[in-house]
């Protein structure tokens, strides 16, 4: 049986550590970390995600502000809201929940966020600093994966790491992090995607396989080397009449058959997913304490 990499437990450990630090800050009379979230429209999934982030802030003792805007809000008005938060000294971190309505440019909104408040780690400044291995806010999901590898003491130096998926949110930054000269890192990295030829031949050489392609159960046992560490970033809801809810969650990896070959694997749910919010909270703590930008 492989090691099941438990993101739910690990994320709770991180939240406990953050809460302990917040208690110290309060005792010292310091400023409590404050996260602001901007939610545009009424997308159900986005409302759920933002609600979970606000709740997590409460759990660790952070202050939080939720700004709700109508789906029809203009780009210029959203940019004005972002600028107001940028200039508010009481707020340490700012996230704008994605996706945004089609009439609004995600790139323009992201670029408007001050790097020192960009706790999502999406601005060009933070991506560039991460690439150079300078202090930076690292995007929450890649940071969460790195933290799982570290806390489970998975060896990465000299290993072949294959990343499937090249998104700016997961795949691309993940490939950079795994190649950096530190731990976890120092891996030889191959970044693959939907147009990669002979993909299965490449994935079968991976000591560490990170799957973020966004396709349900895309990776099967015949694509995985015996003893590989498999990190599944995907999450998909499919119908399942045997469940009370009528559905179940699966990842980008066909778990049961791949787990039979892996030395360690993340489940879905309960693997990478819970780490994302924990990472966001950690970045907000860094922002409040001036650990990245002074």
């Amino acid at each position: 049986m492989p090691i099941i990499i438990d993101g739910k437990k690990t994320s709770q450990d991180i939240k406990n550590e953050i809460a302990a630090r917040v208690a110290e800050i309060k005792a010292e009379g310091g400023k409590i970390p404050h996260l602001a979230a901007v939610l545009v429209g009424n997308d159900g999934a986005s409302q759920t995600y933002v609600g979970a982030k606000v709740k997590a802030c409460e759990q660790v003792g952070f202050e939080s502000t939720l700004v709700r805007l109508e789906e029809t809000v203009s780009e210029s008005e959203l940019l004005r809201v972002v600028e107001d938060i940028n200039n508010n000294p009481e707020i340490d971190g700012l996230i704008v929940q994605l996706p945004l309505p089609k009439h609004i440019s995600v790139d323009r909104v992201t670029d408007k966020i001050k790097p020192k408040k960009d706790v999502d780690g999406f601005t060009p400044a933070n991506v560039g600093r991460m690439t150079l291995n300078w202090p930076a806010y690292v995007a929450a999901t890649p940071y969460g994966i790195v933290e799982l590898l570290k806390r489970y003491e998975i060896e990465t130096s000299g290993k072949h790491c294959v990343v499937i998926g090249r998104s700016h949110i997961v795949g691309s930054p993940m490939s950079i992090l795994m190649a950096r000269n530190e731990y976890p890192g120092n891996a030889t990295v191959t970044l693959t995607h939907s147009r990669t030829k002979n993909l299965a031949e490449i994935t079968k050489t991976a000591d560490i396989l990170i799957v973020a392609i966004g396709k349900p159960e895309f990776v099967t046992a015949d694509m995985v080397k015996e003893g590989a560490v498999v990190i599944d970033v995907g999450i998909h809801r499919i119908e399942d009449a045997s469940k009370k809810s009528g559905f179940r969650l699966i990842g980008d990896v066909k778990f049961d058959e791949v787990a039979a070959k892996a030395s360690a694997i993340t489940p879905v749910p309960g693997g990478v997913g819970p780490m994302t919010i924990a990472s966001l909270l950690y970045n907000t703590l860094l922002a409040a304490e001036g650990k990245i930008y002074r």
Side-chain angles (χ1 to χ4, degrees):
M1 286 293 294
I3 296 168
I4 302 300
I5 299 174
D6 190 342
K8 189 174 181 181
K9 179 187 179 300
T10 306
S11 68
Q12 189 57 55
D13 290 344
I14 293 170
K15 287 178 185 177
N16 292 343
E17 292 162 11
I18 293 171
R21 177 57 190 145
V22 172
E24 291 176 355
I25 293 171
K26 284 183 179 178
E28 296 163 359
K31 182 187 174 302
I32 303 304
H34 188 157
L35 175 67
V38 178
L39 176 62
V40 181
N42 301 304
D43 179 77
S46 292
Q47 291 191 69
T48 299
Y49 295 147
V50 170
K53 291 167 185 175
V54 170
K55 184 178 180 181
C57 285
E58 295 172 2
Q59 291 171 342
V60 299
F62 285 7
E63 295 179 357
S64 64
T65 296
L66 174 56
V67 180
R68 294 179 178 271
L69 300 172
E70 294 296 325
E71 181 90 13
T72 55
V73 68
S74 67
E75 183 179 280
S76 60
E77 175 62 14
L78 174 55
L79 292 174
R80 187 192 65 76
V81 170
V82 169
E83 187 62 17
D84 287 346
I85 296 173
N86 279 339
N87 295 328
N88 186 338
E90 295 302 312
I91 295 174
D92 303 298
L94 165 60
I95 61 169
V96 177
Q97 183 64 45
L98 302 179
L100 292 173
K102 292 182 179 179
H103 66 278
I104 296 175
S105 166
V106 173
D107 289 346
R108 275 195 288 271
V109 173
T110 300
D111 198 40
K112 190 70 170 179
I113 298 171
K114 276 187 178 178
K116 68 182 293 184
K117 295 194 178 187
D118 168 37
V119 291
D120 259 337
F122 292 163
T123 60
N126 278 310
V127 173
R129 291 171 70 103
M130 175 201 69
T131 302
L132 294 170
N133 207 5
W134 290 10
Y137 303 123
V138 176
T141 300
Y143 178 81
I145 294 169
V146 165
E147 197 65 17
L148 284 173
L149 294 172
K150 183 187 299 182
R151 293 188 182 225
Y152 274 82
E153 299 181 349
I154 291 170
E155 183 57 66
T156 60
S157 181
K159 302 295 184 180
H160 184 204
C161 174
V162 175
V163 180
I164 309 179
R166 55 181 169 181
S167 74
H168 297 315
I169 296 172
V170 182
S172 292
M174 200 68 241
S175 67
I176 293 166
L177 290 169
M178 292 301 291
R180 293 196 309 184
N181 185 20
E182 60 181 51
Y183 176 75
N186 281 314
T188 300
V189 181
T190 303
L191 178 61
T192 66
H193 45 80
S194 59
R195 297 191 182 184
T196 299
K197 294 181 179 179
N198 304 319
L199 179 60
E201 292 179 18
I202 297 171
T203 59
K204 280 189 288 191
T205 68
D207 302 302
I208 302 168
L209 182 62
I210 301 172
V211 190
I213 197 167
K215 296 181 180 180
E217 297 186 333
F218 178 82
V219 171
T220 51
D222 60 339
M223 298 172 68
V224 179
K225 181 170 78 170
E226 194 77 38
V229 174
V230 181
I231 307 294
D232 188 350
V233 184
I235 186 162
H236 311 275
R237 192 164 100 162
I238 63 169
E239 292 183 2
D240 187 341
S242 69
K243 301 290 184 181
K244 187 176 179 181
S245 63
F247 68 88
R248 63 187 172 94
L249 299 175
I250 60 172
D252 287 355
V253 173
K254 199 159 188 177
F255 182 85
D256 289 342
E257 63 177 57
V258 172
K261 295 182 75 173
S263 61
I265 189 169
T266 58
V268 176
V272 173
M275 294 296 293
T276 300
I277 290 181
S279 302
L280 179 66
L281 295 173
Y282 179 71
N283 278 347
T284 303
L285 179 63
L286 292 177
E289 297 199 284
K291 294 290 180 67
I292 305 298
Y293 295 90
R294 298 186 182 277

